[in-house]
Amino acid sequence: MKTIIFDFDGTIADSSQVFMHGWNAFAEQYHYLKVDESDIALARTMTLHECAKRYRFPMMKMPIILPKIYRYYNAHIKSVKPYDGIHDMLKLLKEAGHELVILSSNEKKNIEDFLIANEITEIETVLSANKLFGKDRTLKKFMKDRRLKTSNLFYIGDEQRDLEACKKCDIPFGWVSWGLHGEELIEPYEPAHKFYNPKQIVAYFES
């Protein structure tokens, strides 16, 4: 049995619309460009820093802006829903004996509110990384505290930074096709596996 760690936004939660509106809510105040549906599709081909450059987002002010976007997110948590098939996937993985964990740079309260609102009870642990690029440190602490071997872990996410964090920790990473980053952006980093729907995740761990 595995400890399966899921990213949250873009992997479990379909939160692109809420983040888009949250991003736009502070664009004029901090002098960066607003985005629309077409930009969400375009972002699938760009790294975080490329997106910041294109939309003139001030990375130096990220520690100020990001908490505001997350507060906007929290205020609109009821409009965030799981992707199709996530409920059944989590139920089947849990029934198979796997431990299910969420690790995200989103706030822990946001994630817990989402789980309650959507009646998701299979997640045993919610971990929140303190910084946008701090997932590797959170992963290492989790492994140390739980005395887990990397061979017993598997991380599932949608972003390049998730994959990079896993490589630093020697944890296998599975990419999901329905999230933020498209396959062409992820492929050069050679994920351990690629999933195109939640049923494939269940089948992978059954085998």
Side-chain angles (χ1 to χ4, degrees):
M1 302 306 171
K2 295 278 189 181
T3 294
I4 307 171
I5 304 175
F6 291 94
D7 179 42
F8 181 62
D9 295 295
T11 301
I12 297 293
D14 185 1
S15 50
S16 60
Q17 292 296 313
V18 172
F19 271 121
M20 181 180 74
H21 294 305
W23 170 284
N24 290 342
F26 303 101
E28 292 182 8
Q29 181 181 355
Y30 292 101
H31 310 293
Y32 58 85
L33 301 181
K34 292 185 178 182
V35 298
D36 59 24
E37 295 283 353
S38 63
D39 294 300
I40 293 177
L42 181 61
R44 288 177 56 81
T45 66
M46 296 189 294
T47 66
L48 179 64
H49 290 286
E50 288 170 341
C51 283
K53 183 178 181 180
R54 179 179 179 85
Y55 299 105
R56 303 175 191 169
F57 184 85
M59 292 293 285
M60 293 293 291
K61 293 185 179 180
M62 183 177 284
I64 299 172
I65 303 171
L66 200 59
K68 293 187 177 187
I69 294 177
Y70 280 141
R71 283 196 290 272
Y72 181 98
Y73 184 111
N74 195 39
H76 297 81
I77 192 70
K78 290 184 179 180
S79 65
V80 180
K81 301 299 179 184
Y83 287 99
D84 290 342
I86 293 297
H87 269 295
D88 290 341
M89 176 197 74
L90 295 175
K91 181 181 178 181
L92 291 170
L93 291 174
K94 182 70 173 179
E95 288 177 351
H98 302 294
E99 178 186 18
L100 307 183
V101 176
I102 284 177
L103 168 60
S104 174
S105 52
N106 203 327
E107 296 178 7
K108 186 175 182 179
K109 184 180 186 303
N110 288 342
I111 300 168
E112 291 175 340
D113 287 348
F114 168 90
L115 295 175
I116 292 170
N118 291 282
E119 299 180 347
I120 296 174
T121 60
E122 292 83 7
I123 301 297
E124 298 177 38
T125 304
V126 174
L127 303 171
S128 180
N130 293 327
K131 296 180 180 179
L132 193 62
F133 294 97
K135 286 189 173 183
D136 58 304
R137 291 189 290 273
T138 305
L139 282 169
K140 288 175 182 177
K141 184 178 186 303
F142 177 67
M143 288 189 292
K144 181 178 179 181
D145 291 346
R146 297 285 300 275
R147 298 181 180 179
L148 293 170
K149 296 180 179 180
T150 57
S151 58
N152 291 327
L153 292 167
F154 197 96
Y155 190 104
I156 297 175
D158 66 311
E159 293 186 54
Q160 177 187 337
R161 63 190 176 97
D162 298 334
L163 196 159
E164 290 173 343
C166 288
K167 284 188 176 295
K168 291 179 182 178
C169 301
D170 198 28
I171 296 172
F173 175 86
W175 167 80
V176 299
S177 66
W178 53 87
L180 177 61
H181 284 158
E183 188 168 7
E184 66 274 18
L185 190 63
I186 293 294
E187 182 63 31
Y189 294 89
E190 300 180 343
H193 202 79
K194 293 182 284 187
F195 302 106
Y196 298 93
N197 60 65
K199 288 183 179 179
Q200 290 183 350
I201 296 177
V202 176
Y204 177 83
F205 288 101
E206 284 180 345
S207 64

